[in-house]
Amino acid sequence: ELWCAVEGPAAPLLAGHPALARRVVLDRAGLSEASRRPAALRGALLALGELRGASFDAALDLQGLLRSALVARSSGARRVLG
């Protein structure tokens, strides 16, 4: 089963993609505003919790940036590539 964690603006590009079982939409603006808006932090934690609860075999970090690495590691996957 293939899931994808994606930031809000790119989410429509993956809507209905036949290869994806699920999209988890991350709110980038919400993460940066978390100190000023507790609801934004709550939304980010819910999305990360959804990933964490799925018990993945592997996570692919195709960007190699700090934020994507944190999402990949937060997924709880047994193996993280990238």
Side-chain angles (χ1 to χ4, degrees):
E1 192 171 73
L2 183 63
W3 286 33
C4 183
V6 61
E7 290 182 354
L13 296 172
L14 298 172
H17 193 288
L20 291 178
R22 184 148 179 91
R23 284 178 312 156
V24 177
V25 180
L26 302 170
D27 181 11
R28 179 180 179 181
L31 289 173
S32 63
E33 295 176 11
S35 64
R36 295 183 302 266
R37 288 187 5 202
L41 178 60
R42 189 170 35 255
L45 291 176
L46 284 172
L48 292 175
E50 184 178 359
L51 288 173
R52 187 84 171 155
S55 70
F56 297 104
D57 294 322
L60 301 175
D61 175 6
L62 300 177
Q63 284 187 307
L65 301 173
L66 178 60
R67 186 177 21 250
S68 61
L70 289 173
V71 171
R73 296 275 176 208
S74 296
S75 72
R78 290 184 218 137
R79 188 168 182 196
V80 176
L81 305 168

